Amino acid sequence: MEIHPTAIVEAGAELADGVSIGPFCTVGANVKLGPNCKLVSHVVVAGHTELGADNTVYPFAMLGGPPQHTAYKGEATRLVIGDRNTIREHATMNIGTVNGGGVTKVGSDGLFMIESHVGHDCTVGDKVILTKQATLGGHCEVGDFVIVGGLAAVHQFTRVGRHAMIGGLAAVVKDVIPYGSVWGNHAHLEGLNLVGLKRRGFSRETINTMRAAYRLLFADEGTFQERLEDTVETYASCPEVVEIIEFIRADGSRPLCLPEREV
């Protein structure tokens, strides 16, 4: 364990083996740092915050700050971060709120670039990338392998399915299907995240099946409910298509990002 003489580690903080705390860092009394975590310098970890193993946090990041919510009254809510994340300069992640479940959860193997933000009560999956100044509002659900482009903002309570890609500057106010690609202000569905699917080793056969299902699901003919049923019937043997359908059906109260229609 290495703690720089200028760092402040409050009594009660739990530090595992191999932790490195650099110059001018502040670690609160209710913080838990897992094995081999590294705070480079000028990092603040506050509140009831827990980091797993092998996380690296860069200067001026703030983890475990209070929710940016007027209803928060100082309750002992939490921020829980997994393993092997890279959290770059000025990134912020807030603890949860009582009404939102009390915990903000961030998975493992993520990259959170400069000035990115994870709001209160968010649930963020594994291998997620938030690029420069990407923002998640409170209560967002972000699946594994999602990439959020620079300066994009995801509205509170929005769901983003696994393997989705959100383009830079997008304003996302509606749910994004798994494997989808969206951009624009306000964001609309541009198709499937084909680049991401190829990079992650999805077979050509699977991708072609998903593209055919996408064309059926978002065609102009019939009602959306009719097309949904047709897609289920036609592509029930494709797990990725089933995942998209289940995502859509899981929360009928939320609007869905749809393709932009030509006028």
Side-chain angles (χ1 to χ4, degrees):
M1 187 184 304
E2 298 179 0
I3 302 177
H4 194 275
T6 62
I8 297 174
V9 179
E10 296 181 4
E14 298 182 21
L15 310 180
D17 293 341
V19 165
S20 174
I21 300 176
F24 302 104
C25 293
T26 301
V27 179
N30 298 305
V31 169
K32 297 180 181 179
L33 299 181
N36 303 312
C37 280
K38 181 178 182 181
L39 311 184
V40 176
S41 73
H42 299 83
V43 173
V44 177
V45 187
H48 289 74
T49 297
E50 179 178 347
L51 278 72
D54 301 299
N55 293 287
T56 301
V57 188
Y58 283 81
F60 304 105
M62 172 63 178
L63 307 179
Q68 298 176 63
H69 194 299
T70 57
Y72 179 70
K73 304 301 180 185
E75 298 90 349
T77 51
R78 299 187 297 145
L79 167 65
V80 178
I81 299 172
D83 305 325
R84 299 175 301 279
N85 293 288
T86 299
I87 301 171
R88 294 301 302 264
E89 297 84 354
H90 297 276
T92 54
M93 298 181 182
N94 294 158
I95 57 176
T97 63
V98 171
N99 291 337
V103 59
T104 303
K105 298 178 182 178
V106 175
S108 299
D109 301 298
L111 171 58
F112 301 87
M113 295 188 189
I114 183 170
E115 296 177 342
S116 58
H117 174 68
V118 177
H120 60 86
D121 305 296
C122 286
T123 300
V124 179
D126 298 334
K127 294 180 167 48
V128 168
I129 299 176
L130 300 190
T131 57
K132 178 178 170 61
Q133 295 182 334
T135 298
L136 303 181
H139 312 275
C140 290
E141 298 179 20
V142 178
D144 299 341
F145 296 100
V146 166
I147 299 176
V148 183
L151 297 160
V154 181
H155 192 272
Q156 62 185 2
F157 292 101
T158 297
R159 299 180 303 145
V160 181
R162 296 191 322 132
H163 296 278
M165 171 69 190
I166 295 173
L169 297 170
V172 183
V173 299
K174 300 176 181 179
D175 291 351
V176 180
I177 61 171
Y179 313 99
S181 176
V182 305
W183 72 285
N185 185 8
H186 288 21
H188 59 270
L189 194 61
E190 280 289 305
L192 296 174
N193 182 15
L194 298 177
V195 173
L197 292 173
K198 292 174 182 176
R199 285 176 177 173
R200 291 167 196 143
F202 286 78
S203 69
R204 178 176 296 182
E205 180 183 4
T206 296
I207 292 174
N208 287 340
T209 300
M210 294 173 67
R211 295 181 71 179
Y214 178 94
R215 288 192 290 268
L216 174 58
L217 183 58
F218 297 107
D220 291 328
E221 296 79 14
T223 68
F224 184 73
Q225 186 60 41
E226 289 171 344
R227 298 195 303 271
L228 196 68
E229 297 299 331
D230 289 344
T231 304
V232 171
E233 182 177 347
T234 306
Y235 298 101
S237 62
C238 180
E240 292 78 13
V241 174
V242 172
E243 181 179 350
I244 293 172
I245 300 301
E246 290 178 345
F247 178 93
I248 294 171
R249 287 175 166 173
D251 190 350
S253 66
R254 288 285 310 163
L256 193 68
C257 270
L258 298 172
E260 194 170 45
R261 300 300 184 192
E262 295 184 4
V263 179

